[in-house]
Amino acid sequence: QLQLQESGPRLVKASETLTLTCTVSGGSVTSSTYYWAWIRQPPGKGLEWIGSVFYSGSGYYNPSLRSRVTMSVDTSNNQFSLKLISVTAADTAVYFCARQSWFWFFDLWGRGTLVNVSS
Amino acid sequence: QSALTQPASVSGSPGQSITISCTGTTSDVGGYNYVSWYQQHAGKAPKLMIYDVSDRPSGISNRFSGSKSGNTASLTISGLQGEDEADYYCSSYTSSSTLVFGGGTKVTVL
């Protein structure tokens, strides 16, 4: 049973870089049939797709975040990661990692991790 | 890209059927059959309920069904049960090779 687990700091200072890692267990991040995605949810608000990355490193990003986002895959550790630069309070959210099919749906999700941006 | 439009809330009595709409444009919902629906209970991760407009993943009750007409997709929950009380989100692939979510609908079982 494939599982996803987010990890990273719970608190980030404004203007700094948010870095999160998602560890994939029970399966391989090098699967040729899936992308790996990040989705976030500000407290009390809806879901926002951040971006999706293939194990080769190619990916797609939300246009509203593209200039600040980098996503990558670490095949040796079976992980993928998210870097978001120049964070503000608006980036405070629960961040989910997820497995994405070629047909743009998310069939497996991590439990999510709340990241607070402090001023 | 703009979020897909969903009603903020929908309610129904146990046993009834309810339908949640998800309206987009020809550049997303209307242009592709890559619409999916997610159920999210409070404090939990979303759960895939419907993909490719109307397909159900293994293990999802057939009380949940999806459809699409033009630029509007719909999720119908039949035989409403207390456990169905949750937030529901639609999502769609877009012509820009991105993905957009709806704003979410809170379902209340009366």
Side-chain angles (χ1 to χ4, degrees), chain A residues 41 45-47 49 60-62 96 103-107 109-110, chain B residues 1 34 36 38 40 45-46 48 51-52 89 93 97-99 101:
Chain A
Q41 184 173 36
K45 296 188 178 181
L47 300 171
W49 173 72
Y60 302 92
Y61 298 99
N62 187 322
F96 296 98
F103 302 106
W104 292 84
F105 59 85
F106 309 105
D107 62 344
W109 295 65
Chain B
Q1 55 190 26
Y34 297 150
S36 52
Y38 302 88
Q40 186 181 34
L48 178 67
Y51 65 96
D52 293 356
Y89 294 90
Y93 174 73
S97 295
T98 62
L99 183 133
F101 281 102

Side-chain angles (χ1 to χ4, degrees), chain B residues 67-85:
Chain B
S67 63
K68 189 183 84 167
S69 177
N71 296 337
T72 298
S74 299
L75 173 71
T76 298
I77 309 175
S78 58
L80 197 63
Q81 299 179 1
E83 66 201 46
D84 301 331
E85 189 160 288

